[in-house]
Amino acid sequence: MSTRYPFTAVVGMDDLRLALLLNAVSPAVGGVLVRGEKGTAKSTAVRALADLLPEVAVVAGCRFSCDPAAPDPECPDGPHESGPGTARAARMVELPVGASEDRLVGALDIERALGEGVKSFEPGLLADAHRGILYVDEVNLLHDHLIDLLLDAAAMGSSYVEREGVSVRHAARFLLVGTMNPEEGELRPQLLDRFGLTVEVAASREPEQRVEVVRRRLAYDDDPAGFAARWADDEGALRQRIVAARELLPSVGLGDAVLLQIAATCAAFEVDGMRADIVMARTATALAAWAGRTEVTSEDVRQAALLALPHRRRRNPFDAPGLDQDKLDETLEQFKDEDDDPDPGPEGPGGGGGVPPQGDSPEDPAESPASPDAPESSDASDDSGSMEPPASPAPSGPGERAAVKAAEPFRTKMLSVPGLGEGAAGRRSRARTDHGRTTGSRRPQGALTKLHLAATVQAAAPHQRARGRSGRGLVVRRDDLRQATREGREGNLVLFVVDASGSMAARQRMSAVKGAVLSLLLDAYQRRDKVGLITFRGKDAELALPPTSSVDAAAARLESLPTGGRTPLAAGLLKAHDVLRVERLRDPSRRPLLVVVTDGRATGGPEPVALGARAARLHAGEGTASVVVDCESGMVRLGLAGELARELGGTAVTLDELRADSIAGLVKDATGTSRRAA
């Protein structure tokens, strides 16, 4: 087995290491979500934690890692008798982004269950991770239904596998750790809330600390075993401290005054539900145990709030994560117990936790230019993981205007792609999916996952006499099994083509247009779409954001968009055609929805209107579903956006009709409504 990078050799990232260690002390905290840019050693730190966990005693031969002191009475491999068991290292199980549901929860042999009445169950990753760590890299890219299964198991401490009335249950208690890069898309707020703690990580901007990171990584790559040996004493000391904190944890007291501070803090920051209060209480208790104390202090509550609250205040993808620390300090001071005088723990005054001192590097203490424990600007209140809008570009020509702020977003009506797709699971257009309502059956291709019971019985029934059936059971063979076909919803690629020309430049008008696009972006986030953004003005079109799952990145690009100049409509549509052509090669199953936001005017160059119509017909010829958001205003309307929609083979809606609460009209599927009217 390869040698992992030592946990104590990780430079900086104090909040990340502390959050991981607190979960190692008290798994009831609920896991950690690590948000940060690529290349910040998120995965390295998580994988290194596994070697610090104490060994676990398991029942010999049990595939579900039952505790011999208290075996699970419902274990599929049971029943077990109490006994000494055998000791093994705590496991760290990784869940791949492309894993199937059966790989996660386990697979039940339906053929044996129907024909023999035997529950033949093959455990999944949840069973493997029981009493260990379950690590999900790029958790924001995991399919929603897998995340739901994962978090339900983490919350209940058990996993249920149901197949047509046949069910298996087993214990599944694990430390859940997820990592993600916010640039690749966000998790839904409901899923964010299920992670106990969150930390933001970013690469250090201090040259000395970056040098130390490189030095240690090169030394590890040259000799992994030798590098790990040099950190063995620090690893052993940290392992012993985790054991001591676990033993002390039941003795830690959580007084009424501290509980009042926790409740007041959650109320002050308007977090939804009560999960935040519970997580803060458990985290503060773990912090006290980690510091070697039996009483929770205000500093523990403060540190717990910085780890447990930032992600729970994020209600939509445009909200920046973080916590107002001045407001936090005011709330804690207001509800502070006068007798709350923190007793210095092992970490010194105010020891509300902290990360164990690493000392100088064992490789060359004299040459270490920075303390390995120096902060890495990864405070929980840091916004480094959020998408900061780029600086607004200055107007580049006569008649151009600087960017204006968007109006408040609103709830939009449903826009969808016609027909039945087979793309990634989402919430926009109709598609054949693994989850949804049953619409029919087919012969399984590969492993059977969703049994269509009626079709299976119907296929097996005519052959019972020939198969020598003599009892009450049905004789079922592999050829009889039928897979259920289901219809649900898919996510699409929503490509926005936004007119930023002079005809759209009136400030109040462009503010409303930006608000409408932000509203559509928010809708795309909720429906699990990929989004892209093309803008056109002046002489050409620009791909402002290549297709991505990060709608907040699109919002940031839109916010800084200046306006002015001519209207190269054809250039915008041709750029969209090129982008969609490439995306069809990359992801052929994801169907596109083209959303053109314009007043329909076309200027600049020879025959701009005819060129625009010709570019539109390119999309129509390839069957691209499209919607034109008509931004024309004023008493006199030319109806050019409607003409563009007819050329695209799509439909046109006004800004007012786009609102879900509008009574101006109903936005239908992106079908040829305008084409039929013509």
Side-chain angles (χ1 to χ4, degrees):
M1 186 177 68
S2 61
T3 303
R4 291 193 181 102
Y5 192 92
F7 188 86
T8 49
V10 174
V11 178
M13 296 196 296
D14 295 358
D15 286 334
L16 170 58
R17 291 186 292 147
L18 177 59
L20 292 172
L21 290 170
L22 292 178
N23 274 272
V25 171
S26 176
V29 166
V32 186
L33 176 64
V34 187
R35 297 164 45 91
E37 58 197 25
K38 52 187 176 293
T40 49
K42 301 186 296 292
S43 301
T44 298
V46 174
R47 293 187 176 102
L49 179 67
D51 290 336
L52 296 177
L53 298 183
E55 289 188 337
V56 294
V58 298
V59 173
C62 178
R63 298 174 298 167
F64 301 88
S65 303
C66 280
D67 186 350
D72 181 5
E74 298 183 59
C75 176
D77 284 355
H80 304 299
E81 295 184 0
S82 299
T86 59
R88 64 160 176 79
R91 291 173 179 161
M92 181 173 136
V93 177
E94 295 194 38
L95 175 62
V97 170
S100 65
E101 180 180 339
D102 282 350
R103 185 71 186 98
L104 176 64
V105 301
L108 193 63
D109 191 331
I110 298 297
E111 186 175 357
R112 293 192 65 192
L114 290 178
E116 305 173 31
V118 175
K119 291 184 181 180
S120 177
F121 181 69
E122 184 65 29
L125 295 177
L126 291 180
D128 293 341
H130 180 45
R131 305 175 68 197
I133 300 174
L134 182 60
Y135 172 48
V136 189
D137 194 14
E138 306 293 356
V139 64
N140 52 324
L141 303 183
L142 201 63
H143 285 176
D144 281 359
H145 74 280
L146 291 183
I147 295 178
D148 292 336
L149 290 170
L150 178 63
L151 295 178
D152 284 344
M156 296 186 298
S158 59
S159 174
Y160 292 86
V161 182
E162 300 280 348
R163 293 289 188 276
E164 302 298 335
V166 182
S167 63
V168 174
R169 175 217 164 270
H170 64 82
R173 293 183 295 275
F174 46 81
L175 194 167
L176 176 63
V177 183
T179 57
M180 59 175 282
N181 182 350
E183 294 178 0
E184 296 172 339
E186 284 288 350
L187 283 171
R188 303 196 312 267
Q190 298 91 329
L191 301 180
L192 284 172
D193 186 52
R194 300 296 287 272
F195 283 93
L197 309 179
T198 186
V199 291
E200 299 276 345
V201 297
S204 173
R205 300 299 184 257
E206 296 295 331
E208 294 83 1
Q209 197 171 71
R210 296 174 75 97
V211 167
E212 185 63 19
V213 171
V214 174
R215 177 184 290 121
R216 294 189 186 186
R217 185 69 209 192
L218 292 177
Y220 169 77
D221 291 340
D222 289 342
D223 182 11
F227 184 82
R230 290 194 289 275
W231 290 90
D233 291 343
D234 290 337
E235 293 281 289
L238 189 55
R239 191 178 296 110
Q240 291 300 317
R241 187 172 174 188
I242 292 174
V243 173
R246 282 187 173 187
E247 293 174 351
L248 182 63
L249 187 65
S251 303
V252 176
L254 195 65
D256 290 342
V258 171
L259 284 173
L260 182 59
Q261 280 189 316
I262 291 172
T265 301
C266 293
F269 286 100
E270 300 179 347
V271 295
D272 295 331
M274 296 298 297
R275 185 175 284 118
D277 304 62
I278 297 170
V279 170
M280 275 189 63
R282 289 171 173 167
T283 304
T285 303
L287 280 162
W290 180 247
R293 290 183 273 102
T294 57
E295 291 294 331
V296 176
T297 67
S298 292
E299 184 60 29
D300 295 329
V301 175
R302 185 181 190 279
Q303 184 69 61
L306 291 174
L307 294 172
L309 295 188
H311 61 301
R312 292 186 165 86
R313 301 188 64 244
R314 188 181 173 98
R315 289 177 170 81
N316 69 62
F318 310 138
D319 292 339
L323 214 60
D324 184 341
Q325 295 197 40
D326 291 337
K327 181 177 180 180
L328 173 61
D329 291 337
E330 290 175 6
T331 304
L332 293 176
E333 185 64 30
Q334 180 181 354
F335 291 91
K336 185 177 181 180
D337 185 358
E338 294 181 359
D339 297 329
D340 183 12
D341 185 14
D343 178 33
E347 302 305 316
V355 181
Q358 295 171 312
D360 292 327
S361 167
E363 298 173 65
D364 192 347
E367 292 184 7
S368 181
S371 167
D373 225 16
E376 193 171 338
S377 301
S378 57
D379 191 281
S381 64
D382 185 28
D383 290 348
S384 57
S386 62
M387 293 299 303
E388 291 292 338
S392 299
S396 59
E400 292 197 356
R401 305 185 183 186
V404 298
K405 289 199 172 292
E408 281 296 314
F410 51 85
R411 189 166 64 90
T412 65
K413 288 183 176 176
M414 177 69 164
L415 303 175
S416 63
V417 178
L420 195 63
E422 295 182 348
R427 297 183 175 183
R428 183 172 297 278
S429 306
R430 294 173 54 231
R432 298 183 184 91
T433 60
D434 292 334
H435 297 268
R437 62 186 183 91
T438 301
T439 58
S441 65
R442 60 174 173 81
R443 291 181 181 273
Q445 299 171 348
L448 178 71
T449 55
K450 301 291 182 181
L451 177 73
H452 194 296
L453 184 58
T456 298
V457 172
Q458 190 174 19
H463 309 291
Q464 296 304 295
R465 181 174 298 178
R467 293 173 183 174
R469 173 186 172 187
S470 57
R472 298 178 60 186
L474 190 68
V475 181
V476 179
R477 294 181 179 171
R478 176 70 185 174
D479 291 343
D480 301 327
L481 298 179
R482 294 294 183 270
Q483 175 87 16
T485 56
R486 302 192 175 193
E487 183 179 311
R489 294 279 174 176
E490 67 177 0
N492 298 112
L493 166 58
V494 182
L495 182 60
F496 294 93
V497 181
V498 180
D499 184 350
S501 64
S503 65
M504 302 279 288
R507 286 184 171 270
Q508 186 175 2
R509 185 178 177 194
M510 196 60 196
S511 177
V513 169
K514 285 188 176 183
V517 178
L518 281 178
S519 304
L520 290 167
L521 284 171
L522 182 58
D523 182 67
Y525 163 75
Q526 294 168 341
R527 301 189 188 282
R528 316 305 291 165
D529 295 316
K530 290 179 69 175
V531 296
L533 177 64
I534 292 172
T535 63
F536 60 94
R537 66 187 177 96
K539 297 181 179 180
D540 206 356
E542 176 191 2
L543 179 59
L545 183 72
T548 175
S549 296
S550 178
V551 296
D552 50 348
R557 301 297 191 276
L558 182 72
E559 191 70 24
S560 62
L561 177 67
T563 57
R566 294 184 179 275
T567 311
L569 175 63
L573 294 175
L574 289 174
K575 176 70 73 172
H577 183 267
D578 291 341
V579 170
L580 294 180
R581 177 177 53 82
V582 173
E583 287 302 309
R584 284 190 181 100
L585 296 175
R586 289 177 176 170
D587 189 358
S589 64
R590 188 181 289 270
R591 298 186 295 163
L593 174 62
L594 183 67
V595 179
V596 185
V597 184
T598 182
D599 57 9
R601 289 179 171 85
T603 60
E607 300 183 345
V609 177
L611 284 176
R614 191 181 307 167
R617 287 194 291 272
L618 279 177
H619 291 280
E622 295 183 353
T624 302
S626 58
V627 174
V628 177
V629 179
D630 184 358
C631 302
E632 192 174 25
S633 60
M635 296 295 294
V636 179
R637 294 175 179 265
L638 302 178
L640 298 176
E643 293 290 339
L644 175 62
R646 280 189 282 275
E647 296 288 359
L648 285 166
T651 187
V653 296
T654 66
L655 289 175
D656 287 338
E657 291 172 340
L658 194 60
R659 292 179 177 270
D661 55 359
S662 170
I663 60 173
L666 177 66
V667 178
K668 297 182 179 180
D669 285 357
T671 59
T673 304
S674 300
R675 191 169 53 219
R676 290 195 300 269

